[in-house]
Amino acid sequence: MARYLLLVQLLCLTVSVHASGVLILGDSISAAYGIEKSAGWVALMDQQLQERCPDYPVINASVSGETTAGGKTRLPALLSRHQPELVVIELGGNDGLRGLSPMAMASNLKQMVMLSREAGATAVLLGMRIPPNYGQQYTALFEQQFRDVAQSTSTPWVPFFLDGVIEQGWVQDDGIHPTIDAQPLLLDTALSVIEPQLPERCEAKGDQ
């Protein structure tokens, strides 16, 4: 019995040690669609953070084609399994490309923020914009949802994750996905909202 209790204590300690890090819940943009996974912005951030705080893992749970509904469905199991301190939500682009309800998207995003908080994690939101294929009214309504969710839940956010990418022409032949050249810019944009949420042990050397 004593040996069994010791084993349980060790297992609990192991869980405690690994109950940290950042979970990326995104779509093809964060899944590095069309390029090597090791060159994607999430992998680049992982490399950077491992140099600063090796005990702060980056879990990339991004899936190409994912919608906010799919992310909301998958999130509880991911939170239970990885117990992250920080959840980065990069979803919504596929909702817009499919013409799905912006209101439903906003509800899904808000629920993901709340699920993260209930699990003890901080959530940040990487916003998206879409081409005016469905008309200016839909496009404006779509973009407004990210702002509304961020403001109503006091969630740190980036209005447009791909800001600067299209202007630089760093888009693959499909006209949607960022090229390998765009990944450092995506990382900088993501870190602008992620960096302030990192624990002190993960601060950049220049900030210490």
Side-chain angles (χ1 to χ4, degrees):
M1 178 62 70
R3 184 175 299 178
Y4 172 78
L5 291 176
L6 178 60
L7 178 59
V8 171
Q9 291 175 349
L10 289 174
L11 287 174
C12 291
L13 179 60
T14 300
V15 171
S16 175
V17 169
H18 292 286
S20 65
V22 53
L23 173 69
I24 312 295
L25 186 65
D27 51 31
S28 55
I29 295 175
S30 297
Y33 178 89
I35 63 174
E36 291 292 332
K37 295 291 189 295
S38 59
W41 78 268
V42 177
L44 296 180
M45 185 176 73
D46 187 24
Q47 295 170 15
Q48 185 178 124
L49 288 182
Q50 287 306 302
E51 295 177 357
R52 291 157 53 179
C53 45
D55 63 335
Y56 199 79
V58 175
I59 302 102
N60 193 355
S62 303
V63 175
S64 294
E66 186 74 287
T67 62
T68 56
K72 181 186 68 174
T73 299
R74 290 195 299 123
L75 183 56
L78 291 168
L79 291 170
S80 177
R81 178 180 179 184
H82 300 291
Q83 302 181 47
E85 292 182 7
L86 177 63
V87 177
V88 179
I89 303 170
E90 183 273 302
L91 290 171
N94 287 306
D95 294 61
L97 291 175
R98 299 178 188 182
L100 302 179
S101 166
M103 306 309 181
M105 180 187 73
S107 176
N108 293 333
L109 290 171
K110 187 172 183 178
Q111 289 182 63
M112 283 186 278
V113 169
M114 303 314 295
L115 285 170
S116 300
R117 290 180 179 172
E118 290 169 5
T122 298
V124 301
L125 183 62
L126 303 182
M128 190 55 59
R129 295 173 185 167
I130 57 171
N133 297 33
Y134 296 101
Q136 291 294 340
Q137 183 176 2
Y138 179 89
T139 301
L141 187 61
F142 174 87
E143 294 178 11
Q144 182 66 35
Q145 303 315 305
F146 292 95
R147 179 180 294 104
D148 289 349
V149 170
Q151 293 179 349
S152 66
T153 61
S154 299
T155 299
W157 73 302
V158 169
F160 184 33
F161 186 36
L162 298 184
D163 190 23
V165 172
I166 298 174
E167 292 83 348
Q168 294 287 346
W170 290 336
V171 181
Q172 297 179 38
D173 292 340
D174 59 15
I176 297 176
H177 297 96
T179 63
I180 190 172
D181 293 329
Q183 302 307 309
L185 177 58
L186 292 177
L187 174 60
D188 288 344
T189 301
L191 284 178
S192 70
V193 70
I194 292 173
E195 190 85 46
Q197 313 306 321
L198 296 176
E200 291 184 3
R201 68 181 186 278
C202 296
E203 289 181 352
K205 294 180 180 179
D207 296 337
Q208 294 178 345

